[in-house]
Amino acid sequence: MIVELSDYVEPFVEVTVTTLKEFIGIEATPKHPHFLDPDQTHEWDISAVIGLSGMIKGAVIVSMKTELAIKLTDLLAGPGHKEIDADVIDAIGEINNIIAGNIKPKIPNGDKIVISIPTIIRGKEHSIAWPSKQTRILCIPHKVFEEDIFHLIVAIDLENAK
């Protein structure tokens, strides 16, 4: 069986939309998936990174601006957050953890994936360095609330994913 990166798009969209609806109680509308340029900087302020190992190697990342991270945290932990604090870090990490955990039964060889604990990267307009220029980095933006966007980023090494 030949596995393509496109085999992962629909399951990741489905799991992300379901997670936000069931875990947080909000609607997410996926936008057009596209490949990221690994050298490009972005407008993100916080990213939760979960590594994938085993049969599939790579990472699942949720990235967004501070304002959205605070809105999501206020829904999960109660209102009153003003900056990226410990609650915000925990909330964004947990959202990504649920997405990564729930994707396993929905993708090829998902039962042979081991996921890491979330690592949080924060800082204005940070970028994420990828280990290889050949890594295909798929970004699936999702619109939430009226105009907020968060990015689900999937980077998978398909060499061993067959």
Side-chain angles (χ1 to χ4, degrees):
M1 173 171 101
I2 296 178
V3 179
E4 300 289 334
L5 193 55
S6 60
D7 295 335
Y8 296 89
V9 176
E10 191 172 318
F12 267 102
V13 167
E14 177 188 328
V15 166
T16 301
V17 169
T18 300
T19 296
L20 289 173
K21 185 170 188 150
E22 293 178 0
F23 184 58
I24 306 174
I26 63 171
E27 298 291 328
T29 305
K31 299 297 181 188
H32 184 71
H34 59 278
F35 289 104
L36 287 182
D37 176 350
D39 297 323
Q40 180 182 357
T41 59
H42 303 280
E43 295 182 2
W44 312 321
D45 298 321
I46 185 168
S47 293
V49 180
I50 292 187
L52 305 174
S53 61
M55 182 65 93
I56 296 174
K57 294 174 180 33
V60 178
I61 303 165
V62 173
S63 297
M64 64 193 69
K65 296 194 70 58
T66 299
E67 296 78 17
L68 178 56
I70 290 170
K71 284 183 191 178
L72 296 175
T73 303
D74 283 351
L75 288 172
L76 288 170
H81 298 88
K82 304 289 183 220
E83 60 187 27
I84 296 179
D85 60 15
D87 285 343
V88 174
I89 289 169
D90 287 347
I92 303 311
E94 187 58 24
I95 291 167
N96 198 17
N97 195 40
I98 292 170
I99 291 169
N102 286 330
I103 198 63
K104 290 172 63 169
K106 299 190 179 289
I107 60 173
N109 295 314
D111 58 328
K112 297 176 178 109
I113 297 175
V114 176
I115 64 173
S116 71
I117 60 171
T119 298
I120 304 299
I121 301 168
R122 61 183 176 167
K124 276 227 170 292
E125 299 180 7
H126 65 267
S127 61
I128 299 170
W130 303 95
S132 167
K133 290 283 186 192
Q134 281 69 40
T135 302
R136 300 284 295 199
I137 307 157
L138 181 65
C139 179
I140 309 165
H142 288 75
K143 181 179 173 187
V144 291
F145 303 114
E146 291 296 316
E147 58 194 47
D148 292 309
I149 300 285
F150 75 90
H151 302 268
L152 177 73
I153 302 156
V154 181
I156 296 177
D157 175 4
L158 293 175
E159 276 304 301
N160 299 316
K162 299 174 177 90

